[in-house]
Amino acid sequence: MTRTVRRLEQAGFVRVTPSATDKRATVVEPTPASQSVRREVERIWAQLEESATGDLTPAEQAEALVVLQRIEDSLTRAATPSA
């Protein structure tokens, strides 16, 4: 994660500063340059969603979301160490 944030900072997409309230934390915030990239990512993501679900009815889309949520929940449980 640190390497990724460093690359984003070097590219000018994020600004990294020490937290004013917690010396252990670092604040990572977007720069104006990142906003144009965000809009492009959102546009591409919308195209991807349309390509993947465009032929599904609203009921089928809702059903797919329920199944995907169950899969996500199962993976989260599997990745979480038991107490």
Side-chain angles (χ1 to χ4, degrees):
M1 182 59 83
T2 301
R3 187 179 312 157
T4 300
V5 171
R6 199 173 300 137
R7 286 182 188 153
L8 290 169
E9 183 180 27
Q10 290 171 349
F13 295 123
V14 298
R15 180 177 25 262
V16 178
T17 57
S19 170
T21 58
D22 184 347
K23 293 182 181 188
R24 300 167 296 171
T26 301
V27 177
V28 179
E29 55 189 343
T31 63
S34 70
Q35 295 306 313
S36 64
V37 173
R38 178 181 176 166
R39 285 188 290 277
E40 182 66 9
V41 169
E42 288 172 345
R43 184 188 66 74
I44 292 168
W45 192 262
Q47 285 179 327
L48 176 62
E49 285 179 348
E50 176 60 29
S51 296
T53 64
D55 293 339
L56 300 178
T57 66
E60 290 170 328
Q61 290 178 18
E63 184 179 347
L65 286 175
V66 169
V67 172
L68 289 170
Q69 184 63 57
R70 288 182 61 199
I71 291 169
E72 179 183 355
D73 293 344
S74 294
L75 290 172
T76 299
R77 279 192 307 276
T80 304
S82 51

